[in-house]
Amino acid sequence: MTKQTNRRTFLGQTAAAGAIGVGYWTGTSKQLRAQDSALQGLSAACIGVGGKGSSDASHIAEHGVNLVGLCDVDSIFLEKKALDHPDAEKFSDFREMLEKLGDKVDIVTVSTPDHTHAAAAVRAMRMKKHVYCQKPLTWSIGEARLMRDVAKETGVVTQMGNQGTSEDGLREAVEVIRSGAIGDVSEVHVWSNRPVWPQGQGRPAGEDPVPDTLNWDAWIGPAPMRPFKKAAYHSFNWRGWVDFGTGALGDMACHTTNMPVMALKLWDPVAVTAVKNPGIVEGESYPASSSIVFEFPEREGLPACKFHWYDGGELPSDDLISQLPSRYQKKIAEQRAGGKKNSGALVVGSEGMLFSENDYGARYVLLPRDQYADYELPEQTLPRIPFKGNNDLRQKWEFVASVKGEYEPGTMSNFDYAGRLTETILVGNLALRAGEGQRIEWDAENIKSTNTPAVNEFISREYREGWEI
C-alpha cells in the first residue's frame, strides 16, 4: 500500500478502536519515534526552524512524525535544521512550501514572529492541515477571532504553544480555584520580567545591506515593508516592534495568565485601562514598562473581576507583596535594589489566595499557609496527559496523539480556547495605543471599542499584497 493509504487506514483504525496502548508508554521519545513512524505515516511541514521553531520541529519528529518540509527565511537556521532532517525539502517562503507539499503534509507547525502566525496558519487550516502554532496565537485581535472561526469551520486539530497547559500542576491549580477553595475571586494580579528585548524606542535610522542568507521580503511578510537594519528586528528583537510583535503582554501573558484565565473564564473584558502608559514610542515600539487593568463582568455565576497586568519591573501594591511567602518577598526586595526582575501570579479570593511564581502556573501555594495546612485537593475534573517528559514534549504528545485519534480529550490549548485567550490579552495592547488612564470600553462580540474609536484601526491590519489571509 502507499504511504497515504497507510495513514488513512491507521487513523481510521485508531479512531474506531480507541487508544491502543496510549498512556502506558514508558520508553523515550526516540524509541517511540522508531517504534511508530512506519505505522503512523504522519508527515509535517515546519515553518520557522530557528530558535523555538527548532525545538518545535524536533519535538514533533520525536513523536513519530516525518518532517517532509522545512521553511525558514534565514538559510543559516534552515541549513542547520536540515542536518537533522536531510530528506526534508527546504524553502524560504512558506507559501511556496505549502503549495508544493500540500498533498504530502498532515501537520503544519508555525514558529515565526507574531505577525506571520495567522498568514501561515490560516492558509494551512484551509488546506485541511492540522496546525501547531506558537504563542501568542496571533498578532492582532481580528486574526485571533479569524483563527478560531477557521479552526471550527475546517475541523482540524489545533494547538497553541503555551506549553504550560500540559502541566499537571496548572490543571490542578485550575481545579482548586474552581472548587471554591479561596472563595469568590475579585482580583487577579500577574507581573512579568519581560521585556528582555529593546522597547520604548523609535525606528533606527538608515538601512544596512540585506544578508545573502536572509529572505527579507518573506520575513516582512504581511507587514508594511521597511528597510533592513542589522540586529534591529531579525532574529530576536522583533518582539518590541508593533509591526511585528505584541510586546511584553503578548509574549508572556499567554503563559502567565493562562491558569487564572482558564480557572475563572476571563473572556471578553468590558473595559481596559493602561494606568501606567508611557505610550507607543513614535508609533513604532511598545513602552519599556506598563501597568494595565482589565475589567470583567459577572459571567456564568462568577462575580465581576479585575485583572491587573504589570511588566518592565512594575509590581502590585506593597500590601499584596507583603502577603506573599517571605522567600519571594526577598526576591522583590532584591529587584527593587536593582536586581533581576521577577514574575508572579496572585489570585485573590474572599477566603484566601493562590500564588504562583512559575511562569506557567504549574507550581503554586495557597495563602495564608496556616489556613491551608490540612487542605485536601478537590476531585480531579480535568484530564492529565499520560506521556512523561518536559512540558514541551508533553504538549506535542497531546497534539500528535489527538491528530492520530488516540487521545480522546483532545488538545486543551486548541484554537477555540487559545483564540479567546489571545483575543482577551491583546485588548490590553489597545490600551497602550490610548493615553494613560484612558478607560477603553470594549464590545467583544463586535470586536470594537465603543468609546475610543481611534483604537479600532489597530484591531486588524491591511496586508501587504501577496500576503493576504
Side-chain angles (χ1 to χ4, degrees):
M1 290 187 292
T2 67
K3 182 177 179 181
Q4 187 69 30
T5 302
N6 280 334
R7 180 187 305 121
R8 287 198 300 267
T9 302
F10 177 79
L11 292 176
Q13 289 172 343
T14 54
I20 303 174
V22 173
Y24 303 98
W25 177 258
T26 57
T28 67
S29 295
K30 290 184 179 179
Q31 289 170 332
L32 176 69
R33 176 176 59 188
Q35 179 200 56
D36 289 349
S37 58
L39 178 61
Q40 293 168 358
L42 291 175
S43 296
C46 301
I47 303 172
V49 294
K52 193 69 183 72
S54 177
S55 61
D56 285 343
S58 293
H59 292 159
I60 291 290
E62 286 188 35
H63 288 308
V65 179
N66 181 36
L67 304 192
V68 297
L70 301 174
C71 179
D72 203 287
V73 298
D74 191 323
S75 64
I76 295 175
F77 295 144
L78 185 61
E79 295 299 334
K80 182 179 179 180
K81 199 62 188 175
L83 295 175
D84 297 329
H85 305 279
D87 295 332
E89 290 194 56
K90 297 176 290 186
F91 301 85
S92 68
D93 187 323
F94 65 78
R95 299 172 301 177
E96 296 174 6
M97 180 173 71
L98 292 177
E99 182 176 355
K100 182 175 182 182
L101 301 182
D103 61 349
K104 301 176 182 179
V105 171
D106 305 290
I107 288 171
V108 172
T109 66
V110 180
S111 308
T112 62
D114 301 349
H115 71 293
T116 49
H117 283 186
V122 169
R123 185 180 295 250
M125 286 190 290
R126 285 176 173 158
M127 297 173 70
K128 299 300 179 69
K129 310 306 175 187
H130 308 290
V131 176
Y132 180 96
C133 183
Q134 262 306 324
K135 58 78 197 168
L137 189 61
T138 59
W139 174 85
S140 74
I141 297 168
E143 290 172 341
R145 181 68 61 89
L146 177 64
M147 291 271 268
R148 286 173 57 196
D149 291 344
V150 174
K152 183 177 180 179
E153 291 166 6
T154 59
V156 296
V157 176
T158 59
Q159 190 175 57
M160 182 176 74
N162 55 344
Q163 62 267 28
T165 311
S166 69
E167 296 262 19
D168 288 352
L170 177 142
R171 299 184 183 199
E172 181 180 286
V174 168
E175 291 165 346
V176 168
I177 294 171
R178 286 180 177 176
S179 75
I182 61 173
D184 290 334
V185 175
S186 58
E187 296 177 40
V188 174
H189 299 261
V190 178
W191 54 104
S192 175
N193 60 8
R194 274 17 177 216
V196 292
W197 51 79
Q199 285 191 193
Q201 61 186 26
R203 185 185 297 200
E207 66 179 294
D208 295 321
V210 177
D212 293 338
T213 57
L214 179 64
N215 183 339
W216 183 238
D217 183 75
W219 192 94
I220 289 289
M225 178 55 71
R226 69 170 61 196
F228 173 80
K229 189 68 177 175
K230 185 177 180 180
Y233 315 112
H234 177 71
S235 60
F236 178 71
N237 290 336
W238 54 267
R239 289 195 180 276
W241 301 96
V242 296
D243 271 356
F244 312 124
T246 50
L249 179 65
D251 175 55
M252 283 306 290
C254 286
H255 286 316
T256 53
T257 72
N258 188 22
M259 179 267 290
V261 164
M262 186 184 299
L264 298 166
K265 303 177 182 177
L266 296 179
W267 316 127
D268 304 337
V270 293
V272 61
T273 307
V275 295
K276 179 176 179 181
N277 179 20
I280 303 295
V281 178
E282 297 178 12
E284 290 283 345
S285 72
Y286 298 97
S289 64
S290 67
S291 176
I292 303 171
V293 179
F294 298 73
E295 300 174 37
F296 296 90
E298 292 184 7
R299 62 223 173 275
E300 299 182 37
L302 296 170
C305 181
K306 288 187 176 181
F307 159 49
H308 302 255
W309 167 266
Y310 315 82
D311 62 49
E314 296 297 312
L315 293 164
S317 68
D318 289 343
D319 178 61
L320 284 173
I321 295 294
S322 70
Q323 299 180 63
L324 302 181
S326 57
R327 178 185 58 81
Y328 190 82
Q329 290 185 49
K330 183 178 179 181
K331 285 186 175 183
I332 294 298
E334 292 171 351
Q335 172 178 323
R336 287 171 170 162
K340 67 177 183 179
K341 299 179 178 68
N342 295 279
S343 298
L346 181 65
V347 184
V348 181
S350 57
E351 304 296 330
M353 299 186 294
L354 183 147
F355 170 65
S356 174
E357 59 181 294
N358 175 263
D359 277 339
Y360 307 117
R363 294 188 295 278
Y364 67 91
V365 60
L366 295 174
L367 301 172
R369 288 181 183 272
D370 291 347
Q371 179 177 313
Y372 293 95
D374 299 320
Y375 176 72
E376 294 185 7
L377 292 173
E379 179 182 355
Q380 180 180 315
T381 57
L382 296 175
R384 304 294 194 263
I385 295 174
F387 184 85
K388 304 304 179 185
N390 66 42
N391 58 19
D392 249 342
L393 277 169
R394 287 163 62 84
Q395 198 193 34
K396 302 299 194 311
W397 182 92
E398 182 186 44
F399 174 65
V400 173
S402 296
V403 170
K404 293 187 293 183
E406 292 184 345
Y407 183 58
E408 185 176 353
T411 55
M412 184 167 285
S413 195
N414 56 70
F415 287 2
D416 185 59
Y417 171 80
R420 297 193 78 179
L421 171 61
T422 301
E423 188 175 315
T424 293
I425 292 305
L426 293 184
V427 175
N429 276 345
L430 293 184
L432 298 179
R433 298 278 190 174
E436 184 168 290
Q438 172 66 39
R439 182 176 182 270
I440 297 175
E441 295 175 3
W442 183 245
D443 177 354
E445 181 178 356
N446 295 300
I447 326 180
K448 67 178 183 180
S449 171
T450 55
N451 73 326
T452 315
V455 303
N456 289 334
E457 66 174 290
F458 304 110
I459 292 167
S460 58
R461 75 177 348 155
E462 289 188 18
Y463 299 99
R464 201 160 60 94
E465 185 177 357
W467 297 88
E468 300 87 355
I469 296 180

